[in-house]
Amino acid sequence: MIFTEYFSAEGILKIVPAGETALPRTESTSRENVDASGKVRIRENIYMNGAEIFSVALRVVPDLVKRTQQKNEVSLNDIDFVLFHQANRYILEALRDKMEVSTEKFFIDMEETDNTVSATIPIALQNAMEKDLFRKGSKVLLVGF
């Protein structure tokens, strides 16, 4: 693993507290600890600041979509189908609501695969095509974040 932190303008979104150059792997960094919510963690695991990621997604993604629409001279009404990175259902539903995209146009594909990181879009795209949710020639908006 090369990174130790991902930053937003507001702060740290993801961090690996130990196991790299800042705090090399040791017996103590690999020791299991139970946090206040009962989750077992080790300091070498990635930690995501879920509240901050949610906040950044709701701020950044709608702007990204708006700029994409402007650049391509289309509105959401011109788009037949919208497929976002399948981060988690809560973020996807909040983005759909904020952007006022109809449920018929918006695909959430979390039942079988959950968040597969960079593979969520191609997996969800394949699953949507297999379910005949759009046809050849449809305008599909794919959004990674």
Side-chain angles (χ1 to χ4, degrees):
M1 188 173 296
I2 297 170
F3 66 89
T4 56
E5 299 171 349
Y6 287 111
F7 293 93
S8 76
E10 293 76 26
I12 297 173
L13 297 180
K14 298 178 185 178
I15 185 168
V16 179
E20 296 300 322
T21 56
L23 183 57
R25 180 175 286 146
T26 65
E27 186 177 319
S28 69
T29 64
S30 62
R31 189 174 301 125
E32 291 183 349
N33 298 297
V34 179
D35 69 14
S37 64
K39 294 181 180 150
V40 177
R41 301 191 183 273
I42 66 171
R43 296 191 67 193
E44 296 166 8
N45 292 146
I46 192 167
Y47 165 77
M48 296 189 338
N49 183 340
E52 183 61 25
I53 290 171
F54 178 81
S55 176
V56 168
L58 257 62
R59 223 176 17 262
V60 171
V61 174
D63 183 57
L64 170 65
V65 169
K66 186 177 183 177
R67 286 184 287 128
T68 301
Q69 290 174 265
Q70 291 169 342
K71 184 175 183 175
N72 291 280
E73 299 177 355
V74 296
S75 72
L76 278 177
N77 292 332
D78 300 321
I79 303 294
D80 299 309
F81 197 73
V82 178
L83 196 152
F84 285 5
H85 160 59
Q86 304 292 293
N88 70 47
R89 181 172 295 279
Y90 186 67
I91 289 175
L92 292 171
E93 289 175 349
L95 285 168
R96 182 187 64 213
D97 291 347
K98 182 173 183 170
M99 297 173 56
E100 299 177 349
V101 178
S102 70
T103 56
E104 296 79 28
K105 285 183 161 186
F106 197 90
F107 190 53
I108 298 178
D109 187 43
M110 304 292 298
E111 289 77 29
E112 294 181 27
T113 57
D114 212 15
N115 184 343
T116 55
V117 195
S118 62
T120 63
I121 292 175
I123 290 170
L125 186 59
Q126 178 66 37
N127 290 342
M129 289 189 300
E130 288 174 0
K131 294 177 182 181
D132 290 325
L133 297 177
F134 57 90
R135 306 252 183 269
K136 184 176 181 178
S138 294
K139 290 183 182 173
V140 180
L141 175 64
L142 304 175
V143 181
F145 59 93

